[in-house]
Amino acid sequence: MKDYLRESFSYFGLYWRMLRARKHTTPVYKRFGSDKEQYFLCYKPEKVRSDKVIIWVHGGGWNAGNPRFFDYVGQSVSKEGYLMISLGYRLSPKNKYPAQIEDVAKGFNAVIRYLREKNIDTSKVIVAGSSAGAHLTSILCYSKKLQEKYKIDISNIVGYVGFGGPYSFREDQSKTLSILLNQLFTKGYDRREAEPVSLMSGNHIPMLLIQSRHDGLIGYECAEDFKRAADKVGNTCEIYSVVDKKNTHSWYTAGLFLEERKENKTLEKFYSWIDGI
């Protein structure tokens, strides 16, 4: 309960920092579908410091947020010298699952086509997501069934990073997550078809799961469940436990990009892990 209250009280500080976030670049806007949420933003760094491309999917409980709302994330990552794509998707409860994963899959393919048309190297792609976005991107990277259905080529994905993802739908999940999942799925939908743990298949993509024991919304056990599933099929998985003081869900899954790399250990871990693979 204490961590839940800390999470709830953190929103004002987060929004205040978001309003004050500086812009360093103007992203390129590209649509990949007819719905207003089916688009992505491409952030090009002023000075490229990495040969890796980061494709990032936002959180928001599957029912809120879009790449424009999380503009500060793209600004922060591109400032560090990485080319980043921020990918949007249709939201619940208006659009029930699997609309969200369909958009992430189709959007991913659209992003790769766009980058290649621009002669941008796509041989080293990092897929990352926060919260609901971690849920969706983990399925993109580790569900062979989804990859075959949408013709997703994962050969150039060299790493996956998930921030605070609900990788397993546990019976002891929080009330908030239970409500969000009820909004996401139609009544009677087999939720195992959307549960990353149940969809795990073996492949070459190493993963970094960033999770906090003081999240307030998503249990640390979700990351542990996902690691066990990864270990079972031989996938490389590391869990990083957040040690920063701002360790509640919204702060460490997205708010960390409002801070500097030198002052946030989780942000430093994110970049150093990417640079090291």
Side-chain angles (χ1 to χ4, degrees):
M1 177 59 73
K2 180 180 177 181
D3 290 327
Y4 174 78
L5 292 174
R6 289 178 63 229
E7 163 69 8
S8 300
F9 291 144
S10 74
Y11 298 150
F12 177 79
L14 271 168
Y15 291 139
W16 177 246
R17 290 285 293 270
M18 286 171 61
L19 291 172
R20 299 174 62 193
R22 296 183 61 185
K23 296 183 182 295
H24 304 279
T25 185
T26 300
V28 175
Y29 167 91
K30 296 294 291 184
R31 298 188 68 161
F32 63 87
S34 59
D35 190 273
K36 64 179 182 178
E37 302 295 352
Q38 294 172 313
Y39 71 94
F40 61 83
L41 299 178
C42 178
Y43 294 84
K44 294 183 179 180
E46 185 175 330
K47 184 178 180 181
V48 178
R49 297 189 180 93
S50 175
D51 59 352
K52 298 182 178 76
V53 173
I54 299 174
I55 299 178
W56 187 81
V57 178
H58 68 83
W62 301 280
N63 66 4
N66 56 56
R68 286 196 178 102
F69 180 82
F70 288 100
D71 175 70
Y72 69 89
V73 178
Q75 299 290 339
S76 175
V77 174
S78 61
K79 182 184 176 184
E80 288 293 329
Y82 301 84
L83 189 150
M84 189 189 112
I85 302 289
S86 184
L87 179 62
Y89 52 89
R90 286 170 290 168
L91 303 173
S92 70
K94 179 182 177 180
N95 301 284
K96 298 296 186 180
Y97 194 91
Q100 294 74 26
I101 192 62
E102 288 174 354
D103 287 353
V104 169
K106 292 178 180 178
F108 176 84
N109 285 338
V111 166
I112 297 301
R113 287 195 300 270
Y114 169 78
L115 294 176
R116 288 174 177 170
E117 288 170 0
K118 298 296 181 182
N119 294 316
I120 296 172
D121 183 10
T122 60
S123 64
K124 296 179 181 179
V125 173
I126 302 292
V127 175
S130 65
S131 193
H135 164 261
L136 296 169
T137 48
S138 65
I139 295 174
L140 177 78
C141 288
Y142 299 105
S143 171
K144 186 175 181 180
K145 182 178 180 180
L146 178 92
Q147 293 155 10
E148 291 176 346
K149 181 176 181 179
Y150 293 100
K151 296 181 173 57
I152 304 294
D153 181 4
I154 64 170
S155 62
N156 291 341
I157 300 177
V158 297
Y160 167 77
V161 183
F163 294 82
Y167 308 109
S168 60
F169 302 153
R170 301 172 61 89
E171 291 184 3
D172 59 352
Q173 65 195 2
S174 69
K175 178 78 170 180
T176 299
L177 180 56
S178 179
I179 292 171
L180 292 172
L181 290 174
N182 287 337
Q183 291 179 348
L184 181 64
F185 299 113
T186 56
K187 187 176 181 180
Y189 186 85
D190 184 357
R191 296 187 180 187
R192 290 172 299 180
E193 292 297 314
E195 184 183 39
V197 164
S198 299
L199 298 171
M200 175 72 74
S201 58
N203 61 40
H204 68 281
I205 306 171
M207 67 184 83
L208 172 66
L209 307 181
I210 297 175
Q211 210 86 0
S212 172
R213 296 185 183 276
H214 299 280
D215 183 295
L217 294 180
I218 305 295
Y220 191 85
E221 296 82 4
C222 284
E224 294 177 319
D225 291 342
F226 203 50
K227 186 179 189 309
R228 278 192 290 270
D231 291 343
K232 188 174 181 179
V233 296
N235 290 344
T236 301
C237 179
E238 175 186 353
I239 298 179
Y240 174 79
S241 297
V242 176
V243 297
D244 300 285
K245 291 183 179 179
K246 295 175 181 175
N247 55 12
T248 52
H249 187 77
S250 294
W251 264 115
Y252 84 88
T253 62
L256 78 167
F257 290 102
L258 293 166
E259 300 191 326
E260 296 294 327
R261 180 174 178 174
K262 61 184 178 182
E263 65 180 339
N264 190 293
K265 293 182 176 64
T266 305
L267 198 57
E268 170 60 31
K269 175 65 177 182
F270 172 63
Y271 289 123
S272 62
W273 188 86
I274 289 173
D275 292 341
I277 60 173

